[in-house]
Short mmCIF file of all heavy atoms in Angstrom, two decimals:
data_model
loop_
_atom_site.label_atom_id
_atom_site.label_comp_id
_atom_site.label_asym_id
_atom_site.label_seq_id
_atom_site.Cartn_x
_atom_site.Cartn_y
_atom_site.Cartn_z
N MET A 1802 51.66 20.95 44.92
CA MET A 1802 52.62 21.67 44.08
C MET A 1802 53.10 22.95 44.77
O MET A 1802 54.26 23.35 44.65
CB MET A 1802 52.00 22.01 42.72
CG MET A 1802 51.71 20.82 41.82
SD MET A 1802 53.21 19.89 41.30
CE MET A 1802 53.24 18.57 42.51
N LYS A 1803 52.18 23.60 45.51
CA LYS A 1803 52.53 24.82 46.23
C LYS A 1803 53.41 24.52 47.45
O LYS A 1803 54.20 25.36 47.88
CB LYS A 1803 51.25 25.53 46.69
CG LYS A 1803 50.45 26.21 45.58
CD LYS A 1803 51.12 27.50 45.17
CE LYS A 1803 50.26 28.30 44.20
NZ LYS A 1803 50.97 29.53 43.76
N VAL A 1815 55.26 15.30 37.49
CA VAL A 1815 56.07 16.28 36.77
C VAL A 1815 57.06 16.91 37.75
O VAL A 1815 56.73 17.10 38.93
CB VAL A 1815 55.22 17.39 36.11
CG1 VAL A 1815 54.55 16.91 34.85
CG2 VAL A 1815 54.18 17.95 37.07
N LYS A 1816 58.23 17.24 37.28
CA LYS A 1816 59.25 17.80 38.16
C LYS A 1816 59.09 19.30 38.35
O LYS A 1816 59.49 19.85 39.36
CB LYS A 1816 60.64 17.46 37.62
CG LYS A 1816 60.95 15.97 37.75
CD LYS A 1816 62.31 15.61 37.23
CE LYS A 1816 62.54 14.11 37.41
NZ LYS A 1816 63.75 13.63 36.74
N ASN A 1817 58.50 19.97 37.36
CA ASN A 1817 58.29 21.41 37.45
C ASN A 1817 56.97 21.68 38.15
O ASN A 1817 55.90 21.32 37.66
CB ASN A 1817 58.27 22.02 36.03
CG ASN A 1817 58.22 23.54 36.07
OD1 ASN A 1817 57.30 24.12 36.64
ND2 ASN A 1817 59.20 24.19 35.46
N ASN A 1818 57.03 22.33 39.32
CA ASN A 1818 55.82 22.53 40.14
C ASN A 1818 54.80 23.45 39.47
O ASN A 1818 53.60 23.28 39.64
CB ASN A 1818 56.21 23.09 41.51
CG ASN A 1818 57.01 22.10 42.32
OD1 ASN A 1818 56.83 20.89 42.18
ND2 ASN A 1818 57.90 22.58 43.17
N LYS A 1819 55.28 24.43 38.72
CA LYS A 1819 54.34 25.35 38.05
C LYS A 1819 53.57 24.64 36.96
O LYS A 1819 52.36 24.85 36.79
CB LYS A 1819 55.11 26.56 37.47
CG LYS A 1819 55.62 27.51 38.53
CD LYS A 1819 56.31 28.71 37.93
CE LYS A 1819 56.80 29.66 39.03
NZ LYS A 1819 57.55 30.82 38.45
N ILE A 1820 54.26 23.78 36.21
CA ILE A 1820 53.57 22.99 35.18
C ILE A 1820 52.58 22.03 35.85
O ILE A 1820 51.44 21.87 35.39
CB ILE A 1820 54.59 22.22 34.31
CG1 ILE A 1820 55.42 23.20 33.48
CG2 ILE A 1820 53.88 21.22 33.39
CD1 ILE A 1820 56.56 22.57 32.72
N GLY A 1821 53.01 21.41 36.94
CA GLY A 1821 52.13 20.50 37.68
C GLY A 1821 50.88 21.22 38.17
O GLY A 1821 49.76 20.70 38.05
N PHE A 1822 51.07 22.42 38.72
CA PHE A 1822 49.92 23.20 39.20
C PHE A 1822 48.97 23.53 38.05
O PHE A 1822 47.74 23.42 38.19
CB PHE A 1822 50.41 24.51 39.85
CG PHE A 1822 49.32 25.32 40.49
CD1 PHE A 1822 48.99 25.13 41.82
CD2 PHE A 1822 48.62 26.27 39.75
CE1 PHE A 1822 47.98 25.87 42.42
CE2 PHE A 1822 47.61 27.01 40.33
CZ PHE A 1822 47.28 26.81 41.68
N ALA A 1823 49.54 23.90 36.90
CA ALA A 1823 48.72 24.25 35.73
C ALA A 1823 47.90 23.05 35.25
O ALA A 1823 46.73 23.19 34.88
CB ALA A 1823 49.61 24.78 34.60
N ILE A 1824 48.51 21.86 35.27
CA ILE A 1824 47.79 20.65 34.84
C ILE A 1824 46.66 20.33 35.82
O ILE A 1824 45.55 19.98 35.43
CB ILE A 1824 48.75 19.45 34.71
CG1 ILE A 1824 49.76 19.71 33.58
CG2 ILE A 1824 47.98 18.15 34.42
CD1 ILE A 1824 50.90 18.70 33.51
N GLY A 1825 46.94 20.47 37.13
CA GLY A 1825 45.91 20.26 38.14
C GLY A 1825 44.76 21.24 37.98
O GLY A 1825 43.59 20.87 38.09
#
Side-chain angles (χ1 to χ4, degrees):
M1802 292 296 96
K1803 287 284 188 183
V1815 283
K1816 290 181 179 171
N1817 187 301
N1818 294 329
K1819 288 183 179 177
I1820 293 173
F1822 185 91
I1824 295 170

